Amino acid sequence: MSLSEAEKTFILHGVAENFRIDGRDREGYRPMEIETDIVQHAFGSARLRLANTDVLVAVKIEVDTPLPEKPFEGKIEFFVDCSANATPDFEGRGGEDLAVELSNILSSAYGSYKTLDLRKLCILKGKKCWKLLVDILILECGGNLFDAVSLAVKAALYNTQVPKIQAVNVDGDNVEIEVSDNVFDCESLDITNAPVLVTVCKIGECCIVDPSLGEEQCTVGSVVVSVSGDSFSTITSIGTGSLHEETLFECLDLGQKVGIRLNSALMEILSQIPAHQDIGFLK
């Protein structure tokens, strides 16, 4: 998708007037749809559609050994696959580079126990722990991929059921784990403070959230803010361009405010289950 100079000018003037081409204001999100528990053989899953952006997340769980420097903690790893059908930009190495960037940002955002307490995934100190494998498939890219992925990941983790341990038998260096035979005897993860990513873009003299593909082409600088509760967990600059110090603080304030509202809306929808709900507009 390539815009003419006239189209870019039209978008810029609309943002300046706080009335974007799809009717939103600068702080508004496009409508979202979310489904959970849709991958049969996964421990948790979710699919999120944000306008034309479509993301599928599945969580698998396996037994692993804790890191030596973190003997009391479990693990979480992110794997991103950008489907070549999602956008022509994913052809060649474009998709691979974006996948690495996404997984790195997510790993950084979930790097603190304050966002997701991995200590609850420890089975036996220094010996055994649960490892969460979060597989992310980008089915379609219609702008604002970072936000959509983070929301889908949080929904999938909310849906994840960790098997309950019945007994741990230790014989020297051998550790045997007995898991409950009851498939419903599981524990949920506490994802209350799991981060959501908010992409804030500067277009002209103003900052916006949830940029469309067209608006992304008009951006002079972007920052991804990871919001956990009412705090930041990471801040990452993406794309080309740079932001003035005052503009950066403005982006952080906007990202924090919108992130808190976005997280509140998501948690409200997830707590309602059934599996399919419409998050709707975020005003």
Side-chain angles (χ1 to χ4, degrees):
M1 178 182 179
S2 181
L3 298 180
S4 66
E5 290 302 317
E7 289 172 315
K8 292 180 179 179
T9 300
F10 184 73
I11 290 175
L12 191 149
H13 286 173
V15 168
E17 296 294 331
N18 200 20
F19 191 82
R20 295 152 76 175
I21 58 175
D22 52 12
R24 292 180 289 152
D25 60 21
R26 289 191 287 263
E27 298 182 13
Y29 268 73
R30 293 166 291 177
M32 303 180 206
E33 265 182 34
I34 191 166
E35 298 171 275
T36 58
D37 199 23
I38 59 173
V39 179
Q40 184 176 4
H41 298 294
F43 288 82
S45 59
R47 182 173 183 175
L48 184 134
R49 300 177 185 87
L50 169 61
N52 293 329
T53 297
D54 195 353
V55 179
L56 177 65
V57 178
V59 181
K60 295 178 289 187
I61 300 178
E62 63 182 34
V63 177
D64 202 355
T65 303
L67 295 172
E69 64 272 21
K70 298 178 179 180
F72 288 101
E73 294 186 12
K75 298 178 179 178
I76 184 169
E77 295 181 359
F78 299 93
F79 303 91
V80 181
D81 182 10
C82 298
S83 170
N85 297 324
T87 172
D89 295 338
F90 288 171
E91 295 179 0
R93 288 194 53 85
E96 295 179 14
D97 294 340
L98 180 60
V100 171
E101 184 177 23
L102 267 169
S103 61
N104 287 342
I105 289 178
L106 287 169
S107 296
S108 179
Y110 278 84
S112 169
Y113 71 90
K114 294 182 180 180
T115 59
L116 182 66
D117 193 354
L118 297 178
R119 293 173 296 186
K120 295 182 179 180
L121 296 177
C122 181
I123 300 172
L124 182 64
K125 174 191 172 183
K127 297 289 186 180
K128 296 293 180 182
C129 69
W130 292 117
K131 179 165 70 172
L132 305 178
L133 303 172
V134 184
D135 292 324
I136 303 160
L137 177 61
I138 311 300
L139 300 171
E140 188 175 359
C141 184
N144 199 19
L145 195 55
F146 291 88
D147 299 26
V149 166
S150 73
L151 292 168
V153 166
K154 183 161 184 169
L157 291 174
Y158 179 89
N159 181 243
T160 297
Q161 297 294 303
V162 181
K164 186 169 289 186
I165 302 295
Q166 295 288 81
V168 178
N169 302 314
V170 181
D171 182 10
D173 291 333
N174 295 325
V175 179
E176 293 185 359
I177 300 170
E178 295 182 17
V179 180
S180 174
D181 294 330
N182 186 349
V183 295
F184 298 104
D185 193 11
C186 300
E187 297 177 335
S188 299
L189 298 169
D190 181 5
I191 54 89
T192 304
N193 290 321
V196 294
L197 302 180
V198 179
T199 303
V200 184
C201 301
K202 184 181 181 185
I203 298 180
E205 298 300 320
C206 303
C207 297
I208 66 166
V209 296
D210 185 25
S212 64
L213 281 176
E215 289 171 336
E216 287 180 349
Q217 294 188 41
C218 303
T219 297
V220 296
S222 300
V223 62
V224 176
V225 181
S226 173
V227 181
S228 175
D230 58 358
S231 304
F232 301 123
S233 57
T234 58
I235 303 166
T236 308
S237 176
I238 60 172
T240 58
S242 59
L243 297 173
H244 189 272
E245 181 179 348
E246 292 182 3
T247 304
L248 178 59
F249 285 126
E250 182 182 347
C251 289
L252 297 182
D253 288 340
L254 178 59
Q256 182 183 35
K257 178 173 67 173
V258 172
I260 293 172
R261 285 164 34 198
L262 191 61
N263 181 64
S264 177
L266 177 65
M267 293 302 297
E268 181 179 354
I269 291 298
L270 291 176
S271 65
Q272 292 175 1
I273 307 289
H276 184 277
Q277 288 285 348
D278 184 358
I279 293 179
F281 288 101
L282 178 63
K283 294 296 186 181

